[in-house]
Amino acid sequence: MKNNILILGGTGKTGRRIVQRLTNKDLNIRIGSRGANPRFDWDDSTTWSGALDGMDTVYITYQPDLAVPGALKSIQGLTKEAVRKGVQKLVLLSGKGEREAELCEEVIMESGLDFTIIRASWFSQNFSESFFLEPIQNGTVALPQADVKVPYVDADDIADVAVEVLLNDVHNGKIYQLTGSRFLTFREVISEIAQETGRTISFIPIGMEEYTQALKTMGVPEDYVWLIGYLFKEVLGNKANQVITHDVEKVLKRKPKDFSKYLRETAATGIWNPKVEV
């Protein structure tokens, strides 16, 4: 077992959950983030060496997504530095059905280091910890691809799988594709959130062009608008992604968390309540 573990994105959706789980196991954990010491910044390669120093295993998440221009070059540079620093194992959180992400995976797999690739479907937490949250709070959600079926996977399941593969070499060389156990459309998700919270939340299906234009009007940066458009058109709409796998169960020996449980737990926090103007 390798005990010195660097968690890149250690304050993000999956990273902070992994850090919590590994900390509870009394392991030597280092958080890789701009605010950590030593600092890690994907946009500043001079920070990579210090963050990797003394680490045996690295969990890699790339922000905002492995599909964005520059991601491949960064993964190549980090992997090369990891080899130089004596890292023994890399675990990459990847996207399911993203060709650009697969190019990054190939860098990891050809590095000569032990590795595990975790390909995740869209997160349940996109509705509570990401860009879908504010429209839900405001009571009106307008999205394209209204009826595309998605097997949302819970970030807690991803974190549990990540901890298992980080600590156990039986998973070396494996590629796991993580999904939830049932399909949901955006229309169905918003309906279930409304029912769970007792609120009236309207769902409005719109076209992709209308959606991206609305994002631009709201002042969303161009590169982020491009990424969202890519994820909706190339990933969400990709029929190859509309598949339920059993890899969560294969790794954890239990079924994935059902979306209904995520709904109950999240609604109880009050995060989906209307925003209160101060």
Side-chain angles (χ1 to χ4, degrees), residues 8 23 29 46 56 62 76-77 94 106 109 112 127 145-146 159-161 176 196 198 210 230 262 274:
L8 299 184
T23 299
I29 308 306
T46 65
D56 301 304
Y62 186 86
Q76 289 170 331
S94 186
E106 289 171 11
M109 292 188 284
F127 296 98
Q145 304 277 27
D160 286 343
V161 168
Y176 293 120
E196 188 67 37
E210 185 182 357
Y230 169 85
Y262 159 75

Side-chain angles (χ1 to χ4, degrees), residues 148-217:
V148 170
K149 297 178 182 297
V150 180
Y152 293 99
V153 62
D154 197 279
D156 285 330
D157 285 341
I158 298 171
D160 286 343
V161 168
V163 168
E164 170 64 23
V165 305
L166 284 165
L167 299 183
N168 294 292
D169 288 343
V170 68
H171 303 288
N172 289 356
K174 302 290 181 61
I175 299 175
Y176 293 120
Q177 303 198 67
L178 309 186
T179 74
S181 57
R182 63 184 172 113
F183 292 111
L184 288 162
T185 65
F186 284 137
R187 194 190 304 273
E188 290 168 338
V189 167
I190 300 308
S191 175
E192 291 198 16
I193 291 174
Q195 184 174 353
E196 188 67 37
T197 58
R199 296 183 57 207
T200 299
I201 305 174
S202 301
F203 179 81
I204 304 171
I206 60 174
M208 193 65 233
E209 188 174 334
E210 185 182 357
Y211 184 60
T212 54
Q213 187 56 50
L215 294 175
K216 292 176 183 177
T217 302

Side-chain angles (χ1 to χ4, degrees), residues 10-165:
T11 59
K13 280 199 270 306
T14 62
R16 73 173 187 274
R17 289 172 165 87
I18 295 167
V19 167
Q20 182 182 45
R21 287 158 170 75
L22 293 176
T23 299
N24 290 342
K25 293 179 180 292
D26 227 14
L27 300 175
N28 181 28
I29 308 306
R30 179 177 293 166
I31 295 175
S33 70
R34 292 191 188 98
N37 185 19
R39 189 169 71 94
F40 180 89
D41 186 346
W42 278 113
D43 296 326
D44 182 0
S45 60
T46 65
T47 66
W48 300 353
S49 178
L52 290 166
D53 192 36
M55 295 293 102
D56 301 304
T57 304
V58 183
Y59 174 77
I60 303 172
T61 58
Y62 186 86
Q63 295 298 321
D65 192 272
L66 288 172
V68 302
L72 178 59
K73 183 178 179 181
S74 292
I75 294 296
Q76 289 170 331
L78 180 78
T79 302
K80 183 177 180 180
E81 187 63 17
V83 171
R84 192 181 74 81
K85 298 293 287 189
V87 170
Q88 299 171 47
K89 180 174 179 176
L90 303 175
V91 174
L92 176 69
L93 179 64
S94 186
K96 194 167 170 288
E98 298 181 27
R99 177 55 188 154
E100 290 81 358
E102 289 172 1
L103 295 175
C104 294
E105 294 173 7
E106 289 171 11
V107 172
I108 301 295
M109 292 188 284
E110 294 169 4
S111 67
L113 304 179
D114 289 333
F115 71 87
T116 307
I117 306 295
I118 299 173
R119 293 176 182 165
S121 184
W122 278 37
F123 294 12
S124 300
Q125 280 71 17
N126 285 345
F127 296 98
S128 53
E129 299 177 22
S130 194
F131 52 92
F132 296 145
L133 173 59
E134 189 171 348
I136 292 170
Q137 293 172 329
N138 292 338
T140 302
V141 181
L143 290 171
Q145 304 277 27
D147 296 307
V148 170
K149 297 178 182 297
V150 180
Y152 293 99
V153 62
D154 197 279
D156 285 330
D157 285 341
I158 298 171
D160 286 343
V161 168
V163 168
E164 170 64 23
V165 305

